[in-house]
């Protein structure tokens, strides 16, 4: 008996797929890459942009033929896409061969849904966000050793006007600090070397407890645990990323000097229309403080172009912010209207303009990324080896503390080890070097 999970979207989804894999393995299923061999296929979906949704729908559609040959194949569609209002019914109508539909907060029902399906019952179960529990313990089949993802909170309260996430993930719910710390200890005792804390907006961790526990409390608790490991987190929101977070990052050796701080736009006018609750000056002042307190920090971001009302001047402000900050890398997106969000009802920018802007932005950021990467050449840096690099035979790869990918000659038994690497070259996606003895 085999399963295959197809994951789309963010790290949150990657980790939730590890939880569903845990459930399926407990039920006796083994992983397979081959869809024709799989008895259960799960689509863990994303709806943050239209192109993500369309790709997923295309991939579900392809399975129609497979399902005609194999009536006992179980197809489950779960996650963010199903959680949009009316989406579950639409999916069932468009793809009547789907057996199971679950929402973002009841993935733990996967087992009972599969058991029910084998007895002939189809399942659709989408919870309302008021019923979303914070902690339903699910077994986890981790797939990213030496890194372990750990949820610290679920949901989002920010309602950026372009974003569907608060509608499909519900309100912010923080996990108890003792539970998070216990998970971290457990992963460290199993040999994991890097912990990445996950939340849509990690800096507001604990605000729902109202007992003074906050993200800094959590980081400090974890950073003082014994043993050599790296601590990372994502994502941060500039409105909540304050000096106390920067200070704890700067003072604890094991918290990586790597910040992912989505800016979205360089124009204060657009930031206001996006309901981001910071302006260009505030963002730049945070960057200044980060750089002053952590000189070798790597800063990455998310940027969106083509938000309704974005003029040529607004776009120029985004380019100038990118030039000023010099992000080591950026995820760059074309704004995509999402049904039910305020921005979808605003007057939209023509497709051709969006295309021109994204091309310019990507070219600028790529040039900066290359320049920053070139400055690493000749340096000796600590790298945690994470995987083989499939593009170059006989090599393994990992990241520097600041988040740069580094490839070195070596065998898979190095995975999970910290090594010192002398950087010799910079090619498109990775730095290259040799391990120093
Ligand atoms: N909670 C995180 C990540 C949210 S989704 C955060 O706030 O940073 C990841 C990124 O997708 C966002 O940062 C944003 O740049 C992009 N995004 C969200 N909604 C979008 C939309 N409607 N169109 C295009 N990009 C979008
Ligand atoms: Fe979406 Fe904004 Fe929440 Fe991030 S902070 S998930 S962009 S609403
Ligand atoms: Fe997508 Fe849901 Fe993540 S919409 S970006 S998978 S929270």
């Amino acid at each position: 008996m085999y399963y295959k999970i197809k994951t789309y979207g963010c790290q949150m989804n990657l980790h939730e797929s590890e939880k569903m894999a845990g459930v399926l393995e407990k039920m006796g299923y083994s992983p397979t890459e081959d869809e024709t061999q799989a008895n259960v296929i799960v689509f863990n979906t994303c709806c943050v942009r239209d192109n993500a949704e369309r790709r997923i729908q295309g991939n579900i559609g392809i399975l129609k033929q497979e399902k005609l040959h194999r009536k006992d194949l179980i197809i489950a569609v779960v996650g963010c896409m199903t959680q949009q209002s009316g989406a579950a019914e639409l999916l069932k109508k468009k793809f009547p061969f789907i057996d199971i539909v679950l929402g973002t907060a009841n993935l733990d029902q996967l087992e009972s849904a599969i058991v029910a399906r084998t007895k002939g019952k189809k399942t659709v179960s989408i919870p309302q966000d008021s019923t979303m529990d914070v902690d339903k313990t699910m077994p986890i089949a981790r797939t990213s050793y030496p890194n372990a993802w750990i949820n610290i909170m679920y949901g989002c309260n920010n309602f950026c006007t372009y974003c569907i996430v608060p509608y499909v993930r519900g309100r912010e719910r923080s996990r108890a600090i003792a539970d998070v710390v216990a998970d971290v200890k457990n992963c460290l005792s199993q040999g994991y070397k890097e912990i990445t804390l996950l939340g849509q907006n990690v800096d507001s961790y604990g605000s729902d407890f109202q007992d003074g526990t906050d993200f800094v409390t959590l980081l400090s608790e974890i950073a003082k645990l014994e043993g050599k490991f790296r601590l990372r987190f994502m994502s941060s929101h500039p409105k909540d990323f304050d000096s106390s977070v920067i200070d704890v990052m700067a003072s604890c050796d094991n918290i990586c000097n790597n910040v992912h701080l989505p800016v979205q736009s360089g124009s204060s006018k657009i930031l206001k229309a996006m309901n981001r609750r910071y302006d260009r000056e505030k963002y730049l002042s945070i960057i200044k403080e980060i750089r002053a307190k952590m000189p070798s920090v790597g800063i990455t971001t998310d940027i969106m172009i083509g938000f309704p009302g974005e003029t040529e001047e607004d776009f120029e402000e985004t380019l100038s912010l990118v030039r000023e900050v010099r992000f080591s890398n950026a995820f760059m997106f074309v704004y995509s209207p999402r049904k039910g969000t305020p921005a979808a009802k605003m007057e939209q920018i023509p497709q051709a303009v969006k295309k021109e802007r994204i091309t310019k932005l990507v070219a600028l950021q790529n040039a900066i990324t290359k320049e920053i990467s070139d400055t690493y050449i000749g340096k000796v840096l600590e790298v945690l080896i994470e995987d083989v690099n499939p593009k170059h035979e006989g090599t393994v790869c990992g990241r520097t503390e600041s988040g740069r990918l580094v490839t070195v000659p070596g065998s898979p038994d190095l995975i999970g080890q910290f090594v010192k690497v002398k950087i010799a070259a910079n090619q498109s996606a990775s730095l290259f070097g040799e391990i120093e003895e």
Side-chain angles (χ1 to χ4, degrees):
M1 299 249 287
Y2 293 96
Y3 74 89
K4 175 163 182 173
I5 304 181
K6 295 177 75 124
T7 308
Y8 304 83
C10 62
Q11 274 75 13
M12 202 74 69
N13 265 18
L14 278 178
H15 183 43
E16 275 156 10
S17 289
E18 294 182 328
K19 294 183 185 177
M20 286 187 284
V23 168
L24 289 161
E25 288 179 22
K26 199 188 89 196
M27 292 176 77
Y29 291 90
S30 308
T32 179
E33 280 307 307
D34 180 2
E35 267 171 32
T36 61
Q37 189 187 34
N39 307 86
V40 175
I41 299 178
V42 181
F43 287 85
N44 191 8
T45 63
C46 173
C47 56
V48 80
R49 280 169 292 276
D50 184 52
N51 53 7
E53 264 193 305
R54 266 189 292 175
R55 190 156 59 99
I56 297 166
Q57 294 207 9
N59 289 346
I60 297 173
I62 291 169
L63 283 184
K64 189 176 173 186
Q65 287 305 319
E66 189 70 24
K67 185 78 177 181
L68 282 177
H69 300 306
R70 294 199 289 140
K71 292 265 178 291
D72 56 347
L73 166 66
I74 297 177
I75 299 175
V77 180
V78 307
C80 294
M81 203 165 111
T82 68
Q83 195 83 44
Q84 299 170 94
S85 86
E89 294 69 33
L90 265 176
L91 274 171
K92 297 278 298 176
K93 217 167 145 192
K94 201 162 176 184
F95 308 107
F97 55 87
I98 295 174
D99 302 281
I100 296 168
V101 181
L102 296 175
T104 50
N106 57 349
L107 298 178
D108 59 321
Q109 288 174 19
L110 186 64
E111 178 168 1
S112 56
I114 290 175
V115 171
R117 181 64 192 119
T118 52
K119 293 182 185 146
K121 186 178 169 295
K122 289 200 173 196
T123 304
V124 177
S125 179
I126 311 292
Q128 296 304 307
D129 63 57
S130 57
T131 65
M132 289 184 180
D133 277 355
V134 172
D135 251 328
K136 296 177 174 172
T137 315
M138 288 168 76
I140 303 176
R142 295 190 179 275
T143 51
S144 62
Y145 177 85
N147 174 67
W149 307 106
I150 295 182
N151 288 114
I152 64 167
M153 61 196 300
Y154 300 93
C156 180
N157 289 352
N158 291 320
F159 289 94
C160 302
T161 54
Y162 50 80
C163 187
I164 192 85
V165 172
Y167 303 88
V168 296
R169 288 273 174 182
R171 296 295 69 71
E172 273 175 21
R173 285 108 49 215
S174 304
R175 292 183 62 207
I177 195 161
D179 292 347
V180 176
V181 173
D183 280 358
V184 174
K185 280 187 179 159
N186 191 13
C187 288
L188 294 177
S189 71
Q190 287 172 36
Y192 286 87
K193 297 289 192 289
E194 183 178 78
I195 303 292
T196 307
L197 306 177
L198 285 178
Q200 293 298 349
N201 180 12
V202 289
D203 311 283
S204 65
Y205 171 80
S207 54
D208 46 340
F209 298 149
Q210 299 189 332
D211 65 355
T213 308
D214 63 8
F215 187 48
V216 171
T217 326
L218 177 67
L219 284 178
S220 316
E221 282 290 308
I222 298 174
K224 69 181 186 219
L225 296 175
E226 299 266 311
K228 184 171 170 62
F229 68 96
R230 284 177 169 181
L231 182 56
R232 297 185 189 273
F233 52 86
M234 66 190 309
S235 284
S236 291
H237 192 305
K239 82 173 166 60
D240 302 308
F241 196 83
D242 59 22
S243 302
S244 62
V245 181
I246 304 176
D247 290 340
V248 71
M249 289 182 80
S251 64
C252 298
D253 280 349
N254 46 12
I255 306 180
C256 288
N257 282 193
N258 184 192
V259 181
H260 181 66
L261 197 61
V263 65
Q264 313 299 359
S265 170
S267 153
S268 294
K269 181 194 99 189
I270 295 296
L271 289 170
K272 188 150 198 278
M274 287 175 164
N275 189 32
R276 290 291 288 177
R277 282 172 279 177
Y278 57 86
D279 59 13
R280 178 188 175 97
E281 285 64 44
K282 165 84 174 140
Y283 188 86
L284 290 173
S285 78
I286 300 171
I287 298 294
K288 205 166 155 195
E289 185 177 349
I290 294 173
R291 289 245 158 86
K293 292 178 176 165
M294 295 183 271
S296 55
V297 70
I299 304 176
T300 55
T301 198
D302 293 350
I303 313 175
M304 193 188 304
I305 63 89
F307 184 84
E310 184 187 70
T311 61
E312 208 49 42
E313 292 75 52
D314 295 318
F315 174 61
E316 282 300 328
E317 287 199 64
T318 295
L319 294 179
S320 88
L321 181 131
V322 165
R323 275 187 216 105
E324 190 167 338
V325 175
R326 296 180 65 77
F327 296 107
S328 45
N329 225 328
F331 296 98
M332 294 165 278
F333 305 108
V334 174
Y335 166 71
S336 159
R338 303 284 67 206
K339 212 167 139 213
T341 61
K345 295 186 208 89
M346 300 175 189
E347 197 179 323
Q348 304 295 318
I349 305 260
Q351 209 55 38
V353 175
K354 288 184 179 172
K355 212 170 162 199
E356 199 186 303
R357 289 184 187 165
I358 193 75
T359 309
K360 268 194 198 160
L361 176 66
V362 168
L364 171 64
Q365 180 56 46
N366 283 352
I368 294 171
T369 301
K370 182 174 182 318
E371 282 164 23
I372 293 180
S373 298
D374 285 345
T375 65
Y376 282 84
I377 293 172
K379 289 191 179 150
V380 177
L381 299 165
E382 186 175 71
V383 174
L384 171 59
I385 301 295
E386 293 166 23
D387 210 344
V388 292
N389 184 338
K391 288 190 199 138
H392 302 269
E393 222 188 302
T395 66
V396 286
C397 58
R399 277 177 303 157
T400 63
E401 179 185 342
S402 66
R404 290 268 104 185
L405 188 70
V406 177
T407 302
V408 291
S411 60
D413 53 314
L414 286 168
I415 294 172
Q417 288 189 35
F418 289 95
V419 293
K420 293 262 187 282
V421 175
K422 179 149 191 190
I423 309 295
N426 165 35
Q427 278 173 26
S428 55
S430 179
L431 299 167
F432 287 78
E434 300 268 343
I435 296 177
E436 295 223 315
E437 295 310 321

